[in-house]
Amino acid sequence: MDIVFNVDNGYVRHMCVTILSILDKNPNEIITFHIVTCGLSEENSKYVSSLIMERHGAVKFYDVDIKTLNKFSVGKLTGNPNISYAAYLRLFIPDLLPKNIARALYLDCDIVVINSLVGLWNIDIRQYCLAALDDYGNAQESGAIRMGLDVGFKYFNSGVMLINLQKLRDMNFIEKVQDFLVTDGYRILMHDQDILNGLLYKQRLPLEERWNMMRNTDNTTDYSIIHFAGLKPWYVECPHPLKYIYYHYLTMTKWANEKPVHCHSRLQRIKTWVKSILIKKCNP
């Protein structure tokens, strides 16, 4: 099983939580973690390596020059001003990973795995570029309109993706990304997710919700991946009933004594709170 993350120094502790949950719930799987980064410190790289190898996993690092990402948009004029350039690193996965790896599972770092990933990994995507879940509520509808998706197609969430690397290589995906920035860059609000939807929405296999649960559920039986798509568990204001799982794995890291903090500003707290409510209401 080949699992990919993109991360910077700001999110490395959250990625470690996700990695520990994966290894815990998939003890019989041979897993290689591919860490795509832009300037991850040597200290953090060594720590992540030791964390994985101590638990009999394998790890490879891929560093992308930050200058390569300058053409992408981040900051106040985007849909989420807290997103860094690291979000765009997933666009380079097909070119970065060894050519003998034909598929990979990409995961965001605001995730905990609570059951086996084998069923997800074994999904047949030979006829598709990727498999991903429809985004939720208003984000799905507004995303489809913004990106000009044809009727009958839905806007998807890029936080969990089973990727057909060979198909993307064959279509020269990164070149298509460059062209898209020129022709449709004005549409981009939600970073890499908009680009992926704009280019691949017709070649996407919809996933079941069990593989990317974004609602605030307390069900630990029917789902394998809990995605904290609203308020993150490291915020005091996070209402998610399963946020304790995040702290369970955090205690196994060098950040064991970290406590939840408040959202960055009152306005941001309101925005993220409203987003969490919308997730709950739009997905009863």
Side-chain angles (χ1 to χ4, degrees), residues 2-271:
D2 291 284
I3 299 179
V4 187
F5 293 96
N6 41 241
V7 71
D8 56 19
N9 288 305
Y11 253 62
V12 67
R13 64 171 171 159
H14 311 311
M15 180 187 70
C16 287
V17 165
T18 308
I19 288 172
L20 287 172
S21 69
I22 292 168
L23 292 170
D24 185 34
K25 298 303 180 180
N26 297 269
N28 299 319
E29 299 304 308
I30 299 172
I31 301 175
T32 298
F33 294 97
H34 302 267
I35 314 297
V36 183
T37 182
C38 49
L40 192 65
S41 70
E42 183 178 357
E43 177 186 353
N44 280 330
S45 297
K46 287 181 178 179
Y47 180 75
V48 171
S49 294
S50 63
L51 194 78
I52 292 170
M53 291 189 290
E54 285 171 3
R55 292 162 177 81
H56 310 293
V59 61
K60 296 180 180 179
F61 291 90
Y62 309 82
D63 192 63
V64 176
D65 189 340
I66 189 68
K67 294 178 182 177
T68 307
L69 305 174
N70 287 339
K71 63 180 72 68
F72 298 106
S73 298
V74 295
K76 294 182 179 179
L77 298 180
T78 65
N80 186 342
N82 296 319
I83 295 292
S84 73
Y85 284 115
Y88 293 100
L89 292 172
R90 73 198 76 184
L91 301 174
F92 297 87
I93 291 171
D95 285 355
L96 290 172
L97 267 60
K99 297 300 184 285
N100 64 324
I101 299 177
R103 60 158 50 197
L105 175 60
Y106 169 82
L107 297 176
D108 272 353
C109 297
D110 55 350
I111 277 171
V112 290
V113 172
I114 61 173
N115 286 301
S116 172
L117 295 177
V118 173
L120 172 57
W121 180 252
N122 288 335
I123 291 174
D124 184 358
I125 56 168
R126 285 175 293 180
Q127 304 304 314
Y128 301 90
C129 286
L130 55 81
L133 182 73
D134 297 348
D135 213 342
Y136 54 86
N138 183 62
Q140 195 257 103
E141 181 180 352
S142 62
I145 294 171
R146 183 175 63 255
M147 301 314 297
L149 307 192
D150 290 347
V151 175
F153 292 93
K154 293 185 176 181
Y155 182 87
F156 62 85
N157 179 270
S158 66
V160 177
M161 298 184 293
L162 186 61
I163 306 172
N164 186 334
L165 298 177
Q166 193 54 55
K167 227 172 176 23
L168 292 182
R169 292 173 185 137
D170 291 343
M171 67 183 285
N172 297 314
F173 178 67
I174 200 63
E175 291 183 17
K176 292 191 180 301
V177 170
Q178 308 291 351
D179 293 340
F180 187 83
L181 290 174
V182 174
T183 60
D184 293 86
Y186 67 94
R187 298 178 184 269
I188 299 171
L189 181 67
M190 298 307 294
H191 311 94
D192 64 285
Q193 187 165 274
D194 277 357
I195 297 172
L196 288 161
N197 272 274
L199 290 172
L200 302 177
Y201 73 94
K202 290 184 177 180
Q203 302 170 72
R204 188 259 311 195
L205 175 68
L207 281 179
E208 296 176 3
E209 193 176 35
R210 66 175 297 189
W211 304 121
N212 187 2
M213 169 46 73
M214 292 183 280
R215 293 185 287 119
N216 290 352
T217 180
D218 60 359
N219 185 333
T220 59
T221 303
D222 298 329
Y223 307 104
S224 287
I225 294 176
I226 300 299
H227 186 181
F228 299 102
L231 274 168
K232 310 306 180 189
W234 48 90
Y235 289 135
V236 172
E237 295 83 1
C238 176
H240 204 295
L242 297 182
K243 65 181 179 181
Y244 70 89
I245 298 176
Y246 168 86
Y247 286 97
H248 168 72
Y249 290 108
L250 188 67
T251 60
M252 302 178 190
T253 73
K254 67 177 183 178
W255 297 280
N257 294 323
E258 292 285 336
K259 304 297 181 185
V261 297
H262 287 285
C263 290
H264 304 298
S265 67
R266 184 171 182 270
L267 177 60
Q268 186 62 29
R269 289 200 295 272
I270 293 171
K271 285 181 177 179

